[in-house]
Amino acid sequence: MDLFARDTTPSASSTRIVDVLVPVALDRNYSYRVPRGMELAPGDVVCVPLGPREVVAVVWAENANPDPRLHNRLKDVGEKLDVPPLKQELRSLVDWVAGYTLSSRGMVLRMTLRMGEHLGPERVRLGVRLAGEPPKRLTPARRRLIDALSDGLLHGKSDVAREAGVSVGVIDGLVDEGTLTTEAMPRAAAPPAPDPTFAMPDFSRQQRTAVDAMRALAANGSFHVALLDGVTGSGKTEVYFEAIAEVIRRGRQSLILMPEIALTGQFLDRFARRFGVRPLEWHSELTPRTRQRNWAAIAAGEAAVVVGARSALFLPYANLGLIVVDEEHDQAYKQDEGAHYHARDMAVVRAHIAKIPIVLASATPSVETEVNARKGRYQRIVLPSRFGGQHMPHIEAIDLRREPPARGRFISPRLAEEIKIAIERREQALLFLNRRGYAPLTLCRACGHRFACTICDAWLVDHRFRQRLVCHHCGFSMPRPNVCPHCQAEQSLVAVGPGVERLQEEAAALFPEARTMVLSSDLITSIETMRSELNAIAEGRVDIIIGTQLVAKGHNFPRLNLVGVVDADLGLSNGDPRAAERTWQLLNQVIGRAGRDQGRGVGYLQTHQPEHPVMKALIACDREAFYASEIEGRERALYPPFGRLASLIISAGDRPTAEGFARKLAAIAPIDPRIQVLGPAEAPLAVIKGRYRFRLLIKSARAVDLSEYLREWLAAGPKTKGNLKLEVDVDPQSFL
């Protein structure tokens, strides 16, 4: 052994260390050594060992002063993935969202990496083509396969197997015999770029004013928030398309956020008519391969326009130049699992960090957005009338105290008569009820037994189409029995109250010749099915639509001129501070489906409270009266946007554990005269999925850094153990 041989073990001073953020439920960075020859910079996507497995992670920062005691315990970065790095703008957004919502940074990062799956180069997809002589043994399945490949072209294995109606094993057998050969399928071409000059619309005078403002906003290119405030049917989509066209001309990317991406077939068609191609989609229904391909196209700057659900906000755009939040008021923008964030608000934050413009579009702006526009923080761009000279729907109340439906029925005589007239005119009618299933409650007439979920504090909803009683909170279901399990009485079970399935049954009885269709989220089997049903309505193959809030999401039904709201009071009966706002928005949106193409639309509100301020504002079409009343009430009570709220939900497998922890937490809340800590109290839904729930509601002045207050409080509070769980929801939208 050469005693003077040089020690080649890297010293602490010569080894480069980086801090890496891992997309798991952790808030801290982990330090790793950079192997010799590997070039790394903040934002690079890497694979690192974490415990017994390797995970995808992101280099977050250089570590110039590592702890020397950890040097021999540090692991090496495994590999650098061949994908574009996450830009500083996106890394800043991850940090900001995590800090504001008190979520772990790892969970926010996870959304940028598509849950950490399928990153890296796209895997090679194999195809097959005819190459040799037919096999000696020619079965019917083999003959069908050879016929399908008779064009001599390369076909994807799964595609041709499906076309020929054979298994992949049949293909492999013919490959082994030399009849077929396998080759790598060519990589899918980048999506074609939208053409901003493909089909320039003919705008009305009012629309041209808004279009000029949109183009100026996009051309300016700096951070600016605009509210595109237009009545239903005014052409808001076509107007903000012009901002997108300007951004395309400048070679930058646009993001359009939508509350229900699965229901946007009409929107995608409208985009294609304007720009010649469809935009790139991003939502949970995409296949893993499509998500991989779309993620790569977005990161490489090959996707000029992306239309997506709220998670699309966290994608690594190469050169983002504009964000549009369509239907900005919609509650679906709130994420209530994992990181609790509101996509509209975080979109404004991302636009601010990236120094780009953002457009919030709505016919019924949220109170928060309306106040920002009134105070001049947001520019208001107005479309006050419908495109093509169409009138806004006329709205009437049907007072159910004076004109009740027949016993056991839910459609009043006047509404039934108006529907009959509409059908005779070959027009469509929409019956709206925001309640899925057949009936919200089933009880026994003999003993009064009510069917409740076994693990939630909720009644089971009768779904006749599926012949099951279902819990809408945990998914528990059971067959609908014929005998009461409590008293054994037969034929004693009765459905109480209406759901959309029961309304369809009533409509079929009242109008036996009419073609009816139910639109409800629990009946959707796929995006394709939903889009097919919407096309059937748009083409006039349905006479009466019975729907939940699904039908209020921006659809255009040319023959629809009558909307009947079966229970207009439904959303006003809970303790949600936003109940009036949501009811007003939802009913405005659903009635706004009527009269958009030809004829005069009319909406009927079946209500027991025609004197309620929301009903009076709807009937009078007086949005100013509604906003004035709602804003005054919020300001007086210091509710958002004049104050701030946060919710702490403590849950456990038993009530004493949850309540005890909640009380200990409340007892050590820091004293601040600007902050109220309310509770703990049982949550309105006290048990979900077998977990008992208690809630603390924190209310503060607007100027208070509520996130920092919560962070200090929770750091000093008791720690969750066992099955205890603490959820933090800053700016809550749900109070259940």
Side-chain angles (χ1 to χ4, degrees):
M1 179 177 178
D2 186 353
L3 297 178
F4 297 97
R6 185 178 176 185
D7 183 4
T8 57
T9 303
S11 67
S13 59
S14 66
T15 302
R16 187 172 164 221
I17 308 296
V18 292
D19 287 342
V20 167
L21 185 59
V22 181
V24 295
L26 297 168
D27 199 46
R28 54 170 293 189
N29 294 336
Y30 286 88
S31 297
Y32 288 86
R33 287 191 304 250
V34 180
R36 290 185 181 277
M38 182 182 289
E39 294 294 327
L40 285 183
D44 284 338
V45 183
V46 294
C47 277
V48 296
L50 185 69
R53 60 197 177 107
E54 281 225 335
V55 297
V56 174
V58 176
V59 177
W60 218 249
E62 293 280 349
N63 189 337
N65 300 298
D67 186 339
R69 294 171 300 176
L70 298 178
H71 175 66
N72 291 328
R73 295 164 54 190
L74 293 181
K75 296 179 180 179
D76 286 349
V77 173
E79 66 172 313
K80 176 182 174 181
L81 296 184
D82 185 20
V83 298
L86 268 58
K87 298 173 65 177
Q88 177 61 51
E89 167 240 313
L90 181 53
R91 304 199 307 276
S92 296
L93 179 71
V94 170
D95 287 336
W96 199 98
V97 172
Y100 184 81
T101 64
L102 273 71
S103 306
S104 65
R105 290 185 303 144
M107 289 303 290
V108 181
L109 176 67
R110 194 176 180 186
M111 293 185 285
T112 75
L113 300 179
R114 304 169 305 123
M115 313 309 271
E117 299 166 355
H118 310 294
L119 280 177
E122 184 174 349
R123 70 179 177 86
V124 175
R125 186 180 174 214
L126 291 178
V128 292
R129 71 164 87 234
L130 282 175
E133 295 299 319
K136 294 179 181 178
R137 189 172 65 88
L138 195 60
T139 65
R142 287 182 164 190
R143 185 181 298 280
R144 291 198 305 274
L145 180 60
I146 291 171
D147 288 344
L149 292 168
S150 60
D151 57 11
L153 300 177
L154 186 65
H155 292 256
K157 283 181 71 174
S158 57
D159 296 336
V160 76
R162 193 181 313 110
E163 180 185 346
V166 302
S167 68
V168 174
V170 176
I171 297 176
D172 293 338
L174 289 182
V175 170
D176 292 341
E177 294 193 30
T179 303
L180 307 181
T181 185
T182 59
E183 298 176 27
M185 297 285 287
R187 183 178 179 272
D195 180 0
T197 64
F198 182 77
M200 300 289 287
D202 184 17
F203 292 110
S204 67
R205 180 179 56 81
Q206 287 179 337
Q207 285 180 319
R208 279 197 298 273
T209 302
V211 165
D212 290 342
M214 284 285 107
R215 288 173 178 160
L217 177 89
N220 182 275
S222 59
F223 173 67
H224 186 77
V225 186
L227 167 61
L228 182 55
D229 184 357
V231 300
T232 53
S234 59
K236 292 185 294 298
T237 303
E238 284 73 15
V239 168
Y240 71 63
F241 275 172
E242 296 313 300
I244 291 169
E246 184 65 31
V247 171
I248 294 170
R249 290 186 188 99
R250 294 171 183 271
R252 303 192 71 181
Q253 293 171 297
S254 298
L255 164 63
I256 306 171
L257 289 179
M258 308 201 81
E260 298 284 351
I261 190 64
L263 311 177
T264 55
Q266 289 184 348
F267 175 87
L268 298 174
D269 291 340
R270 288 165 76 178
F271 187 96
R273 286 196 295 271
R274 170 62 182 88
F275 294 104
V277 296
R278 285 190 165 203
L280 212 67
E281 291 185 68
W282 185 268
H283 51 81
S284 60
E285 296 293 320
L286 298 178
T287 65
R289 181 181 289 130
T290 302
R291 287 171 72 83
Q292 177 191 32
R293 190 176 295 135
N294 289 2
W295 191 95
I298 290 164
E302 297 171 351
V305 182
V306 177
V307 176
R310 56 184 178 246
S311 62
L313 178 64
F314 295 92
L315 293 172
Y317 300 92
N319 191 13
L320 189 58
L322 174 71
I323 300 174
V324 177
V325 184
D326 203 358
E327 308 290 356
E328 64 84 27
H329 64 276
D330 200 290
Q331 191 178 357
Y333 282 122
K334 178 69 177 188
Q335 169 73 28
D336 285 324
E337 295 178 358
H340 293 244
Y341 68 92
H342 197 298
R344 176 200 62 216
D345 298 342
M346 297 307 105
V348 174
V349 171
R350 179 157 196 180
H352 182 266
I353 293 172
K355 299 180 176 58
I356 60 173
I358 178 170
V359 176
L360 310 179
S362 178
T364 54
S366 64
V367 170
E368 289 85 346
T369 298
E370 177 68 21
V371 168
N372 278 325
R374 291 188 179 201
K375 293 193 172 184
R377 298 189 190 107
Y378 296 173
Q379 176 189 3
R380 190 193 299 270
I381 301 170
V382 181
L383 291 169
S385 59
R386 286 186 156 181
F387 181 71
Q390 288 299 109
H391 294 286
M392 293 298 294
H394 170 69
I395 302 176
E396 293 183 21
I398 297 177
D399 189 342
L400 294 177
R401 298 170 301 186
R402 299 177 181 175
E403 302 179 74
R407 185 175 178 82
R409 300 284 188 177
F410 304 95
I411 301 171
S412 66
R414 178 146 65 106
L415 179 55
E417 182 61 29
E418 295 296 336
I419 293 171
K420 178 183 176 184
I421 294 170
I423 294 172
E424 289 172 350
R425 291 176 179 163
R426 302 183 65 79
E427 296 175 348
Q428 289 172 323
L430 166 63
L431 288 172
F432 174 76
L433 177 64
N434 201 21
R435 188 179 273 155
R436 293 175 287 156
Y438 183 85
L441 173 65
T442 300
L443 61 78
C444 173
R445 282 180 295 200
C447 70
H449 172 73
R450 300 183 176 201
F451 285 82
C453 180
T454 58
I455 55 175
C456 293
D457 187 17
W459 306 122
L460 294 179
V461 178
D462 186 353
H463 284 253
R464 291 287 170 91
F465 290 177
R466 294 158 57 186
Q467 291 296 307
R468 299 189 75 81
L469 302 180
V470 180
C471 175
H472 286 175
H473 300 285
C474 71
F476 168 81
S477 71
M478 59 179 283
R480 190 176 186 277
N482 295 317
V483 176
C484 174
H486 190 257
C487 70
Q488 308 306 314
E490 297 183 6
Q491 306 301 318
S492 66
L493 303 184
V494 59
V496 178
V500 285
E501 294 176 16
R502 194 170 193 176
L503 275 187
Q504 185 188 41
E505 185 178 272
E506 184 174 343
L510 288 170
F511 314 105
E513 303 301 318
R515 299 164 295 179
T516 62
M517 177 183 287
V518 175
L519 286 182
S520 177
S521 59
D522 58 297
L523 300 176
I524 298 173
T525 56
S526 67
I527 294 178
E528 290 71 24
T529 300
M530 185 65 198
R531 290 176 178 171
S532 172
E533 291 177 344
L534 291 172
N535 286 337
I537 295 170
E539 293 166 6
R541 289 183 273 129
V542 177
D543 300 310
I544 302 175
I545 309 142
I546 300 105
T548 62
Q549 63 180 348
L550 214 56
V551 299
K553 304 280 185 179
H555 308 300
N556 185 35
F557 304 135
R559 289 180 51 204
L560 178 62
N561 282 338
L562 184 148
V563 172
V565 180
V566 174
D567 188 351
D569 308 324
L570 185 59
L572 297 172
S573 58
N574 59 47
D576 189 336
R578 293 185 176 85
E581 176 190 5
R582 288 189 177 136
T583 298
W584 184 80
Q585 289 167 338
L586 182 58
L587 298 188
N588 246 310
Q589 292 282 344
V590 74
I591 292 172
R593 301 308 103 204
R596 294 165 70 98
D597 195 67
Q598 56 187 352
R600 179 70 187 270
V602 61
Y604 293 96
L605 304 174
Q606 291 193 164
T607 174
H608 289 92
Q609 307 175 68
E611 69 286 346
H612 192 286
V614 171
M615 299 304 152
K616 290 170 71 174
L618 284 166
I619 294 161
C621 297
D622 190 350
R623 68 176 258 164
E624 286 306 310
F626 169 76
Y627 278 121
S629 170
E630 191 68 11
I631 290 171
E632 180 187 3
R634 298 270 189 100
E635 191 167 17
R636 189 169 57 247
L638 287 182
Y639 277 133
F642 304 100
R644 300 194 54 209
L645 294 174
S647 177
L648 303 182
I649 296 288
I650 297 97
S651 64
D654 62 274
R655 179 191 167 103
T657 300
E659 183 176 11
F661 184 91
R663 293 196 180 281
K664 287 179 185 176
L665 192 61
I668 65 159
I671 303 300
D672 188 321
R674 303 167 300 167
I675 297 175
Q676 287 179 277
V677 177
L678 307 172
E682 272 192 328
L685 279 172
V687 185
I688 294 183
K689 297 181 180 178
R691 297 184 64 82
Y692 291 78
R693 306 167 73 242
F694 279 79
R695 186 178 69 183
L696 289 159
L697 188 65
I698 299 88
K699 183 179 174 185
S700 78
R702 179 176 173 79
V704 172
D705 186 345
L706 189 54
S707 297
E708 184 58 29
Y709 173 87
L710 293 170
R711 191 174 293 108
E712 293 178 2
W713 175 16
L714 298 178
K719 305 307 176 190
T720 56
K721 296 178 182 178
N723 69 354
L724 257 171
K725 185 178 180 183
L726 170 63
E727 288 184 78
V728 181
D729 189 358
V730 178
D731 302 332
Q733 296 290 308
S734 171
F735 290 82
L736 296 177

